[in-house]
Amino acid sequence: MSNTTWLDTGDNAWQLTAGSLVGLQSVPGLVVLYAGIVKRKWAINSAFMAFYAYAAVMICWVLWAYKMAFGEQWAPFVGVPGALATIDNELEQAVLPASGVSANFPMSTMCYFQFVFAAITVIIIAGSYLGRMNFIAWMVFVPLWLTFSYTVGAFSLWGGGFLQVMGVIDYSGGYVIHVSSGTAGFVGAWWIGPRLAWDREVFRPNNILVMLVGAGILWVGWNGFNGGDPYAASADAGAAVLNTNVATSMSLLTWTILDILVYGKPAVIGAVKGMISGLVAITPGAGVVDCWGAIVIGILAGTLPWVSMNIVGRWRPFTWVDDTLSVFHAHAVAGVVGGLAVGVLATKEGCAAFGLPNPGGAIAGNWKQVWLQLVGALFIFALNILMTSLVMLFIRYVMRIPLRMGEEMLLIGDDAVHGEDAYTFKETSELDVELGIVPDGLTHRASGIRRDGRYL
């Protein structure tokens, strides 16, 4: 212990706990949320996309991507690639060299904590591609997008890059994670193409209760998502956790009320969307706004993304792009709403508690912060439009891998793609038609059973 006088065991314990909570948001959180919210024939494929991405990001992260996001500056927007694999690397004090930030826990803890953020970003993107992306193309997309898009955004805002130097506030990833994933999801969905027309028309969840389990893990796990970013078991961590839950609750209530007023019924799927929008919107400023600010952000998160999803989303060009789970609205729109709100609602005391030199937002007399937040959002939009397009084009035209599944796979689903079925207790064409997996009159060739019950 004489060589680790910098180590604070309390901070280390909280950081590992916070990182594990964020990890649980992905596995099993989004794994089961995706499995439950899609049609039965896509349950395994959707869950597997998230499961695969979590593992793939981990290996890329320790071999080169962590240092690109948080290492020594190499280019204006990114750090020097390199591995974090030796025992000396893992045991040394956590330091982010380009930003001058250090923490009282080891580099291994920092690497893991930042990994779970990178992993969930890619998994959120998958929500836009469910129900038609070629799984092999997805396997290639994950490391490429992580390397050429995520690391640039993370370095620019967190690792000591130009946006951090300018003073843009992104407390825990409203821009790095949510605006990035929402934009990349929307752009990538355009390149991939749509689901089958039948799937777009009838895409009822196969298990709403399983979806709610995933949503609950996502909500509670966000305590680590936002509470872990002070890199200490500090007072600001407590403020971030409280504000996260206040804003999320307010957003869920607001969304539900709008559903009742407009559609006449409260919908649990709508409530989940309101929950996610609230979690996303509070993320850019969880520890720098006060409780009143969190309430305001919650109202905005339950209103503006609702309008974006339910009204604007029915207009062109949104109808041209098949964003399966409306990731753009729940993450990109909500992330920008929260990011701009921070420019107004950030408190001087909250910024100081987080270690920021910013003198608060507009309510503290610093109107410049609103402009800085807008610049940050525009950069992340531009970065992800460019990089996601380049990655998709590389996969399609250089690697010659189709981005979209073939028609037979699209018709059959999991059984054709993976040779597995989520619910094997009953496998008949009648059940497929009943659940809207295939239109009436079409043959489910994976099971070898015709609609009349006879084997092919």
Side-chain angles (χ1 to χ4, degrees):
M1 293 298 293
S2 60
N3 295 324
T4 56
T5 54
W6 45 263
L7 179 64
D8 186 311
T9 55
D11 287 350
N12 193 37
W14 167 239
Q15 209 65 33
L16 288 169
T17 301
S20 297
L21 285 170
V22 180
L24 286 170
Q25 290 182 295
S26 294
V27 180
L30 286 174
V31 170
V32 297
L33 190 152
Y34 286 176
I37 202 170
V38 298
K39 297 176 76 167
R40 180 177 73 92
K41 75 173 186 178
W42 293 119
I44 288 176
N45 181 257
S46 301
F48 198 5
M49 286 180 73
F51 208 50
Y52 163 79
Y54 193 81
V57 171
M58 177 81 265
I59 302 305
C60 298
W61 197 246
V62 297
L63 292 183
W64 69 82
Y66 171 76
K67 288 193 174 181
M68 290 182 69
F70 295 99
E72 298 280 355
Q73 187 160 358
W74 182 39
F77 307 119
V78 74
V80 180
L84 185 73
T86 69
I87 191 64
D88 290 337
N89 292 152
E90 294 183 30
L91 295 178
E92 65 186 3
Q93 183 179 10
V95 176
L96 308 183
S99 65
V101 172
S102 62
N104 294 325
F105 49 76
M107 189 67 81
S108 52
T109 300
M110 178 66 81
C111 181
Y112 175 74
F113 182 74
Q114 298 298 350
F115 148 69
V116 292
F117 284 85
I120 199 171
T121 307
V122 181
I123 292 170
I124 291 169
I125 293 173
S128 293
Y129 306 162
L130 299 181
R132 85 284 200 175
M133 187 174 188
N134 179 2
F135 196 85
I136 303 302
W138 174 246
M139 292 178 70
V140 177
F141 174 86
V142 170
L144 290 178
W145 188 88
L146 174 76
T147 302
F148 295 106
S149 187
Y150 182 83
T151 58
V152 175
F155 184 84
S156 298
L157 277 157
W158 289 341
F162 81 104
L163 292 176
Q164 186 176 34
V165 173
M166 286 175 62
V168 178
I169 299 174
D170 189 10
Y171 188 88
S172 196
Y175 287 175
V176 174
I177 294 170
H178 298 292
V179 176
S180 289
S181 58
T183 306
F186 190 80
V187 172
W190 184 83
W191 284 109
I192 296 166
R195 290 165 287 169
L196 290 178
W198 175 253
D199 278 353
R200 292 192 73 178
E201 181 181 347
V202 182
F203 207 72
R204 291 188 296 271
N206 75 91
N207 197 322
I208 291 178
L209 296 181
V210 167
M211 178 201 73
L212 282 173
V213 170
I217 294 171
L218 199 64
W219 186 342
V220 176
W222 225 283
N223 292 336
F225 199 105
N226 288 343
D229 268 285
Y231 299 153
S234 64
D236 195 49
V241 170
L242 177 63
N243 289 335
T244 296
N245 285 273
V246 168
T248 303
S249 300
M250 193 72 247
S251 179
L252 186 154
L253 296 175
T254 303
W255 196 291
T256 301
I257 290 169
L258 286 173
D259 276 349
I260 294 171
L261 292 175
V262 176
Y263 300 117
K265 294 180 181 179
V268 70
I269 294 177
V272 169
K273 292 176 181 177
M275 176 205 82
I276 293 173
S277 294
L279 290 167
V280 170
I282 191 61
T283 294
V288 299
V289 301
D290 60 18
C291 197
W292 290 112
I295 291 173
V296 172
I297 290 174
I299 294 171
L300 293 173
T303 304
L304 297 179
W306 187 96
V307 171
S308 171
M309 188 180 300
N310 293 288
I311 298 176
V312 179
R314 297 177 180 177
W315 303 344
R316 297 176 180 176
F318 294 103
T319 56
W320 295 343
V321 178
D322 183 14
D323 180 357
T324 307
L325 299 185
S326 300
V327 173
F328 179 82
H329 304 284
H331 292 271
V333 173
V336 171
V337 167
L340 296 180
V342 171
V344 177
L345 299 170
T347 64
K348 183 177 181 180
E349 296 81 4
C351 289
F354 189 48
L356 296 176
N358 307 55
I363 61 169
N366 180 28
W367 284 95
K368 179 184 177 183
Q369 194 63 49
V370 178
W371 166 248
L372 291 174
Q373 298 302 112
L374 179 60
V375 170
L378 292 175
F379 174 78
I380 294 297
F381 272 126
L383 169 68
N384 283 279
I385 291 170
L386 174 63
M387 290 302 179
T388 305
S389 295
L390 290 176
V391 168
M392 289 294 185
L393 289 169
F394 180 81
I395 295 171
R396 176 189 286 179
Y397 294 109
V398 178
M399 299 189 72
R400 301 290 182 177
I401 299 174
L403 297 175
R404 189 171 179 262
M405 296 179 192
E407 292 298 313
E408 183 173 355
M409 285 187 176
L410 289 171
L411 174 65
I412 296 171
D414 289 337
D415 208 348
V417 180
H418 302 290
E420 298 167 308
D421 190 4
Y423 306 104
T424 58
F425 54 86
K426 185 176 183 181
E427 188 179 17
T428 67
S429 59
E430 288 85 0
L431 181 61
D432 290 346
V433 173
E434 176 188 339
L435 295 176
I437 294 172
V438 296
D440 192 8
L442 287 181
T443 299
H444 184 187
R445 282 175 281 178
S447 64
I449 301 173
R450 299 193 319 203
R451 188 172 178 271
D452 61 9
R454 297 179 181 178
Y455 287 91
L456 294 173

